[in-house]
Amino acid sequence: MSSSTPTDDEDTAYRVAALPLEYGETRINQLFTRGYNRYVVDGEDQPEDLVNDLERFGTAAFKEQVRADAAEEPFVDEPGTLAVLATLSAICVKEHPKFEHASPRNIQVLYDIRELYVNNLASLIRAHGDGSLQQDIADVLYSKEPGEDGPHPGRVCTGITEMPEFGNGLFLEIPMAAASRKCLVREDQGSTGSDDGREILTRVKDNKLYVPVGDFDSKYRDYAERAFKKLLRVQEDGLSDDQLTWLTTNESAITERIDRFLETGHHERIWRNWDRGERTIRVLRRALSDAPDDVAQKGEFHTAKELYRAVAAYDAEDDWESSVTDWISSPSSLAKTLADHESHSAVTIDRDGRVNTYRIGRAGTGAEQIEVREIEDLFELPCMANMEERLHEKKPVRKDLYNFARMVMWLPQYQDSSLDEIVADLKDVFSRWPWYDEQETEYQVRYEFSNTIDGDTPLPMNCDNDDLQRYCIGQDQCPYSIWGSLPFPDEMYEQVDEESAGPTEQF
């Protein structure tokens, strides 16, 4: 007898939908087939019904109340259909012409679709079956790494039950023999800021742990958000070029909703972490960099009229930049924006003259600037000078090499250089130290340059990094800062902005 599949068995469909990270593409595609089968009637495809439903799902995701309500009452009543509608909606968003050059992680609409999907899935799971599916999920969320004897032979979660002696609510019952450190739950970290002093909420009775179900909900939400990325990837990989063209040609409601928000200036509904002031300052820096010296210069004081001339002449590189330049309608509107964001570390306003003047620098400026024509100029930084001195006595630890290589990689003169050119210049610098070995140095440098974080070049260490403290003379004594003194390109500071806004998420 053949085993059941998500296509023809409801329980299997729910399990694959709930735990897609535990399954391969075959099972996930079978889940999608189940969803698509809803749009086949008497052997005939019903493409108009599919488009209507995915448009309804995609436009509903814009509404905060609908997303919230889906956690209590499912917006879509079946897991296969939910997976299809959510992923197709996300694909339509990613294919919108306005997002052609945008990183998906910066598109707020994708996060809204994912939130509706995750809330909808949670309410479906809660209403399904006798609780065994929740136990299956708990087995994944709370399992420990397999020991020498292999994984735990039985269930990790043996029940979900009320425990009046421990307070109100439900608890997951987990035998001590199956428990991992993930079962140790403390009160919300926001109350104290650290593990120290936080009450342990996990309870113990009869050689079993009892974990509050609220922790299960939190851990599963994180899991489901990561799982949506996999579902989306499998759906994208499974669509042919003709199918993708058909989809984007026939879908219109989601596209029109995005267009309407952009046309009416509601950029915060479209772009993640949208900040009008931050975006304006970023465009101003780029406009000043592109402007002829007789128009304006970055780091110098200019009137609002001079800055406006630079913005008006700037050729925006992508759509969010165009939205900013279009919004700056006059010198006075630019002056008001800068006054509203005077607290930004890149903005300085001089009100001593007859006309206010404005200086746009880099975030965190105030530190002395260093002109880096050659790699050796980095040793003007006191911490780098101390490192250079130490390297005459000892071989570098890996973090020293990492920091030096990444600092060089971000310098403007190396942005368009080949790896061979950068390696050759670094080898020339490293050859001053007695431990230098050409082949070993080349291997180590190339290894460091091959490492990325989710496709991004790692940032150079900043002055707060623990590994730099052994060389630091003290930030309160130093006139320089690594990120503030070196002429790194705007792209580096944009990456800093994105990473400081929250954990990196991608679709």
Side-chain angles (χ1 to χ4, degrees), residues 458-473:
L459 297 168
M461 295 180 189
N462 65 13
C463 294
D464 295 324
N465 188 275
D466 291 340
D467 293 299
L468 279 179
Q469 299 315 303
R470 59 180 174 271
Y471 303 121
C472 182
I473 65 172

Side-chain angles (χ1 to χ4, degrees), residues 396-406 430 444-445 448:
V397 297
R398 179 177 178 270
K399 286 293 180 68
D400 292 343
L401 179 64
Y402 171 94
N403 182 39
F404 200 86
R406 291 301 174 189
F430 286 10
Q444 290 175 329
V445 171
E448 295 299 347

Side-chain angles (χ1 to χ4, degrees), residues 418-438:
S418 68
L419 180 56
D420 288 340
E421 292 175 294
I422 302 174
V423 170
D425 286 355
L426 279 170
K427 284 163 62 177
D428 186 54
V429 174
F430 286 10
S431 64
R432 70 178 61 201
W433 291 305
W435 45 262
Y436 172 73
D437 176 275
E438 181 177 3

